[in-house]
Amino acid sequence: MNTFLRVMTASAVMAMAGLVGQVMAATELVVVSWGGAYTASQQNAYHAPYMKRNSGIKIINDDSAGSAVAKLRAMSQAGNTTWDLVDAVASDAMMLCDEGLVDEIDHNRVLASAPDGTSATDDFGDFIVSPCFIPQIVYSTTFGYRKDKVSRPMTSVCDVFDLVNFPGKRSLEKKPINNMEWALICDGVAPAKVYDVLGTDAGVTRALAKLDTIKSNVVWWTAGAQTPQLLADGEVIVGSTYNGRLFALIEEQKQPVAMLWDWQVFDLDGWVVPSGGKNKAEVMKYLRFATDTQRLADQAKFISYGPTRASSAPLVGKHASLGIEMAPHMPTDPENAKTTLLFNYEFWADNRDDLDAKFNAWLLK
Amino acid sequence: MEQSPDKNILVTADGIPLKTSLARAQRRSKFVAFMMVFPLLFFIMIGFIVPIVDMLFLSIDNSIVNRILPNTVESLKNWDPYANELPDEAVYASMVDDIKKAKKAREHTKIGTRLNYESSGFASLFRKAGRKVQKIDKPPYKEALIKTDKRWADIYTWQVIKQNSSDLTDGYYLAAFDFTRKFTNGKVEPLPEKDSIYIKLFFRTLLLSTLITFLTFVIGFPVSYMLANVPTRISNILIIFVLLPFWTSLLVRTTSWIALLQQEGVINDFLILIGIISEDGRLAMIHNATGTVIAMTHILLPFMILPLFSVMKTIPKSYLRAAISLGAHPWVAFWRIYFPNTGPGIGAGSILVFILAIGYYITPALVGGSSGTFISNRIAYHISNSLNWGLGSSIGVILLVIVLFLFILYDRIIGIKNMKLG
């Protein structure tokens, strides 16, 4: 019995040592993202293939991107940053960059060029909104409409403001952002001039006057899930929300809804590298792989958000489980992206407080 | 017990005056009593008093300007904001120095965010300055800073900084009362009617909360009366139906109202089915004030029924019988004898419902549209969305003062000791 025990203990200790040795050999990268379907898409498109090629790397998912700003602040104060890479929306990335909590990146040095040799900065283009930010996906705020409740397909965002040809309720987000831009464009302001006009009092009055024309027919939403529900219930004939939500409504729930991409507003999500991270050399190698043309295109197989590289768009394939072509559902698809706005971070950082007050005062009238 | 030399003082066996001995014993029992309530007291301090004091402080705190721009604030002291000329080189030099230090501490955007609440544009002004200021290393600082952004050559920029440089600010309260300060002359003016928000929202909140309280009373009173007057066996079962909503998530209850009330919803469909309204005449009962009132009346109903029920339970049935046997009409007996006895329950229920109602924000946000949202929706917005905690706090403080005022008014008119929760 004693001998048996001794043998067992010895073998257990040896097994443990072996296990520890294996773990020690692998470098662990803690990657923080949003969890759910989004992290799953990253796991499938980036993490799994990378770990397959680099046996010494183990990527650990942490789903706390929602509170990343606060946690990075706390980690930096405590002097112990345990995260290696963080997924952040562009506005948070800019704030983190301002506060020095994430590193500035030399995009052309760190990131791969496009297959045809275009440099990373040219391939990502305007989407590099901050020196710390490595763009990953584009999502957009755009419209979906009930095909069965309109006399002809809606093709222009101005159809939302047209109560004569498209009577019925609309749902819009209960904040000035995006609504003011659309109102001005439909009031005849040249799209390139929208923010110049919106920066003046007269421009604000003009945008609100345009919104006034449909005010009594608007259902205001505050959560992204509301518009899909309102469309499904037939409460509204057209409504704005995030494109991924509309994709789920149309392709997964098979509702009679179609997309109205005209003047969709792009917003971005991407990587930032925490300043105090301990495995920066490994993180840079990973980033080079995970943000190359093929990998960004691969992610679109798992979720309906568009790749931020121009060179990725032609490579987008079929949805992994639904088996449908994903390209036509991408906000960045050339067919959908004929007219777009990129969320103007600088303008809204300056004017959000003021315009929000005016917008809410207008709502109360 | 012995007589002491001084015959008037009673002493205990060991010669200590009885008074002292008694005080000692009482001190001990007071201490024990205090220790027993201490956990609760401690909890109230941490969970209630401290946050409220903190909120009061946040609504006037402006120390950030002095902390991040100390030299500028100091050198601006001698500058007259209304003399129509730009500050001198010394002020620009200290601003450059302050921004350099702030940039190093990564705080230059915080000052921009703070001043942006007062006047649009400061967020980008300071972000830009933070990017470019490191390159400025020699005088003239004035020219160099203006080169980074021409707004530094605008007297208005300096007027805003100067007038927001004290450690305390009334700016948040001015905003919360729909006033604005003109920085060009320092005068405080009311906002034009079309731009006012908060006063309207305060009135709407009070008005709708009063209506909701009244409706819960109208609906809750007969229910409570029935519950109090049926055999206990039945009332125990019925009370479950009153409590059932309590055990259901608030969000579920609110969303069910959406399904019922919306234009393509159950109630509209039913009304069309029985021919009361036509297909084009579907009623808009949600995403407006009606929706808020209906959903909140339902959600707050138990808070009216329970105190009413427990008070009615204690009214002896013999009172009514006595009144009727002495010749009162049953209605008169009810109105003159029974109803006044329910007063403490009505008081408790009304206060409970009213105070809960004016602080509600989830239900109004989901079903209120634009005409049925409350002031608390703005507080929630400023706390969790715009992150303008100063303004959120000042609205919160005003709401707190209104509640306290109404509570005192209630005490004066009806008397708080007449309130009975059961």
Side-chain angles (χ1 to χ4, degrees):
Chain A
M1 195 63 197
N2 247 337
T3 327
F4 175 72
L5 260 181
R6 221 170 286 152
V7 170
M8 284 300 284
T9 318
S11 56
V13 167
M14 276 159 74
M16 291 276 281
L19 211 66
V20 170
Q22 258 179 14
V23 173
M24 295 286 273
T27 306
E28 291 188 350
L29 296 182
V30 180
V31 176
V32 181
S33 188
W34 301 92
Y38 191 66
T39 291
S41 74
Q42 291 174 326
Q43 178 72 32
N44 288 326
Y46 311 154
H47 305 343
Y50 189 71
M51 286 191 281
K52 210 170 173 188
R53 283 165 205 220
N54 301 276
S55 55
I57 300 290
K58 189 165 187 296
I59 292 173
I60 297 171
N61 285 306
D62 181 323
D63 295 345
S64 41
S67 53
V69 175
K71 286 195 173 163
L72 279 173
R73 276 184 191 147
M75 285 185 192
S76 150
Q77 267 166 18
N80 181 25
T81 304
T82 53
W83 291 349
D84 294 302
L85 194 60
V86 177
D87 195 290
V89 291
S91 53
D92 280 351
M94 291 166 94
M95 185 161 67
L96 289 167
C97 200
D98 281 335
E99 292 183 21
L101 297 172
V102 293
D103 279 346
E104 294 195 5
I105 301 287
D106 180 350
H107 289 84
N108 280 337
R109 197 176 57 77
V110 173
L111 306 177
S113 304
D116 63 1
T118 313
S119 71
T121 35
D122 287 339
D123 206 13
F124 283 110
D126 290 344
F127 292 152
I128 300 176
V129 291
S130 152
C132 301
F133 183 66
I134 301 162
Q136 190 187 147
I137 55 127
V138 177
Y139 65 96
S140 84
T141 307
T142 189
F143 287 93
Y145 66 93
R146 281 287 293 249
K147 288 189 282 191
D148 54 337
K149 302 222 168 180
V150 290
S151 49
R152 59 180 163 85
M154 295 177 103
T155 51
S156 156
V157 72
C158 300
D159 292 345
V160 174
F161 293 87
D162 182 355
L163 287 174
V164 179
N165 292 312
F166 300 98
K169 298 233 169 187
R170 297 93 167 87
S171 62
L172 294 174
E173 190 172 7
K174 200 177 190 175
K175 63 182 189 185
I177 297 171
N178 301 344
N179 295 329
M180 303 287 260
E181 286 98 323
W182 287 324
L184 283 181
I185 288 172
C186 292
D187 204 37
V189 174
K193 290 263 162 65
V194 161
Y195 290 103
D196 296 338
V197 175
L198 202 52
T200 63
D201 282 346
V204 175
T205 312
R206 188 172 168 186
L208 291 177
K210 183 70 182 174
L211 284 168
D212 233 10
T213 59
I214 55 167
K215 190 180 178 187
S216 55
N217 282 289
V218 174
V219 175
W220 299 100
W221 61 266
T222 47
Q226 279 173 286
T227 287
Q229 188 62 50
L230 290 165
L231 281 168
D233 289 350
E235 277 292 288
V236 298
I237 59 154
V238 59
S240 68
T241 186
Y242 311 118
N243 73 289
R245 304 259 186 186
L246 289 168
F247 173 80
L249 186 72
I250 296 168
E251 295 300 336
E252 287 164 21
Q253 296 164 32
K254 304 284 178 204
Q255 294 291 329
V257 172
M259 300 293 296
L260 167 55
W261 292 103
D262 191 36
W263 291 113
Q264 53 169 324
V265 182
F266 282 162
D267 202 346
L268 307 167
D269 192 274
W271 299 115
V272 285
V273 181
S275 290
K278 294 176 181 68
N279 303 306
K280 282 195 188 152
E282 288 300 335
V283 168
M284 295 304 160
K285 278 186 218 156
Y286 168 79
L287 277 175
R288 190 176 188 87
F289 172 81
T291 62
D292 71 12
T293 300
Q294 185 59 47
R295 249 43 64 181
L296 289 185
D298 285 350
Q299 194 184 3
K301 283 183 203 161
F302 305 100
I303 201 152
S304 70
Y305 293 120
T308 38
R309 277 184 188 262
S311 61
S312 297
L315 303 179
V316 170
K318 285 188 171 144
H319 190 280
S321 60
L322 294 171
I324 48 172
E325 282 295 337
M326 287 303 280
H329 299 284
M330 291 288 129
T332 44
D333 187 64
E335 197 58 33
N336 300 332
K338 283 178 194 155
T339 49
T340 61
L341 288 173
L342 177 58
F343 181 74
N344 191 329
Y345 305 97
E346 184 114 327
F347 178 86
W348 284 111
D350 272 350
N351 294 286
R352 182 177 152 166
D353 300 311
D354 186 36
L355 287 193
D356 190 73
K358 286 182 174 145
F359 180 78
N360 274 287
W362 169 78
L363 274 182
L364 283 175
K365 274 193 296 193
Chain B
M1 203 169 284
E2 287 170 25
Q3 288 290 88
S4 72
D6 184 348
K7 291 199 168 96
N8 293 326
I9 297 178
L10 289 171
V11 292
T12 52
D14 47 4
I16 302 164
L18 184 60
K19 216 174 173 184
T20 319
S21 177
L22 198 63
R24 220 176 261 166
Q26 274 179 347
R27 201 182 308 142
R28 196 176 309 127
S29 70
K30 269 184 190 159
F31 178 74
V32 170
F34 176 76
M35 285 317 285
M36 285 174 92
V37 295
F38 180 74
L40 180 66
L41 207 65
F42 181 75
F43 179 75
I44 289 179
M45 276 299 289
I46 298 295
F48 197 67
I49 310 280
V50 172
I52 286 181
V53 171
D54 192 43
M55 178 176 77
L56 286 167
F57 182 67
L58 262 183
S59 66
I60 51 170
D61 178 35
N62 193 45
S63 54
I64 181 171
V65 182
N66 230 323
R67 183 166 59 79
I68 299 181
L69 304 174
N71 301 323
T72 313
V73 169
E74 185 62 34
S75 52
L76 270 176
K77 279 205 171 116
N78 300 318
W79 176 67
D80 177 5
Y82 312 124
N84 203 25
E85 59 184 56
L86 279 171
D88 54 18
E89 172 70 15
V91 174
Y92 280 91
S94 38
M95 178 59 93
V96 170
D97 186 41
D98 281 339
I99 298 178
K100 273 185 187 169
K101 283 181 188 142
K103 165 83 179 173
K104 201 165 275 169
R106 303 284 182 168
E107 289 196 313
H108 61 293
T109 50
K110 288 186 190 157
I111 185 78
T113 308
R114 164 66 191 102
L115 292 173
N116 208 63
Y117 296 145
E118 303 295 336
S119 179
S120 291
F122 275 87
S124 68
L125 187 65
F126 275 93
R127 168 172 286 147
K128 221 167 171 182
R131 273 204 302 265
K132 298 186 177 174
V133 85
Q134 299 304 343
K135 290 179 197 124
I136 306 176
D137 45 9
K138 56 181 190 303
Y141 292 109
K142 188 167 181 173
E143 259 169 53
L145 192 59
I146 290 170
K147 221 171 161 186
T148 68
D149 194 311
K150 61 181 190 308
R151 281 176 287 178
W152 291 111
D154 193 343
I155 294 178
Y156 179 72
T157 302
W158 296 97
Q159 287 170 327
V160 173
I161 296 173
K162 165 110 184 172
Q163 286 172 61
N164 285 293
S165 59
S166 58
D167 275 345
L168 298 177
T169 179
D170 57 1
Y172 298 125
Y173 281 97
L174 289 179
F177 281 114
D178 291 334
F179 280 84
T180 177
R181 174 171 277 122
K182 288 265 175 281
F183 292 109
T184 43
N185 56 20
K187 291 210 175 69
V188 171
E189 303 176 350
L191 280 172
E193 208 274 331
K194 71 174 179 65
D195 286 342
S196 70
I197 307 176
Y198 300 109
I199 297 295
K200 281 182 195 163
L201 274 176
F202 274 118
F203 274 111
R204 175 194 287 171
T205 306
L206 293 175
L207 195 75
L208 289 184
S209 299
T210 312
L211 180 63
I212 289 162
T213 311
F214 178 72
L215 287 175
T216 55
F217 167 68
V218 170
I219 299 169
F221 194 89
V223 177
S224 318
Y225 184 79
M226 185 191 69
L227 284 174
N229 288 290
V230 294
T232 317
R233 186 170 42 87
I234 300 174
S235 76
N236 279 347
I237 296 168
L238 290 178
I239 207 107
I240 290 175
F241 289 103
V242 175
L243 289 174
L244 201 61
F246 262 154
W247 303 331
T248 320
S249 144
L250 175 69
L251 278 173
V252 171
R253 278 179 280 164
T254 306
T255 335
S256 329
W257 275 114
I258 297 177
L260 282 172
L261 293 175
Q262 64 186 1
Q263 291 200 296
E264 305 287 329
V266 178
I267 292 178
N268 264 312
D269 285 349
F270 179 72
L271 290 178
I272 288 173
L273 189 75
I274 60 171
I276 289 185
I277 55 172
S278 68
E279 186 64 42
D280 298 330
R282 285 176 179 265
L283 302 172
M285 292 180 290
I286 207 153
H287 305 305
N288 53 27
T290 318
T292 303
V293 170
I294 294 176
M296 282 182 61
T297 301
H298 167 239
I299 287 164
L300 294 175
L301 200 52
F303 294 97
M304 180 63 91
I305 292 179
L306 292 177
L308 269 178
F309 167 68
S310 65
V311 167
M312 286 176 177
K313 228 24 199 166
T314 61
I315 303 172
K317 293 204 172 70
S318 53
Y319 285 12
L320 267 182
R321 282 205 299 273
I324 293 167
S325 72
L326 288 170
H329 186 272
W331 178 243
V332 175
F334 171 81
W335 185 244
R336 302 263 307 268
I337 305 297
Y338 193 85
F339 187 75
N341 273 305
T342 62
I346 298 174
S350 302
I351 282 233
L352 216 55
V353 170
F354 184 80
I355 288 178
L356 283 172
I358 58 175
Y360 246 60
Y361 73 96
I362 296 174
T363 306
L366 286 174
V367 302
S370 59
S371 68
T373 45
F374 281 10
I375 190 71
S376 6
N377 294 106
R378 294 311 292 165
I379 300 180
Y381 170 81
H382 285 304
I383 296 299
S384 63
N385 219 317
S386 77
L387 302 183
N388 188 350
W389 287 12
L391 182 52
S393 297
S394 64
I395 304 171
V397 169
I398 296 169
L399 194 61
L400 182 71
V401 170
I402 291 177
V403 173
L404 286 177
F405 174 76
L406 290 173
F407 200 70
I408 291 167
L409 203 69
Y410 176 90
D411 186 37
R412 284 283 158 78
I413 298 171
I414 298 168
I416 211 71
K417 56 183 180 300
N418 278 332
M419 188 171 85
K420 219 168 143 187
L421 282 164

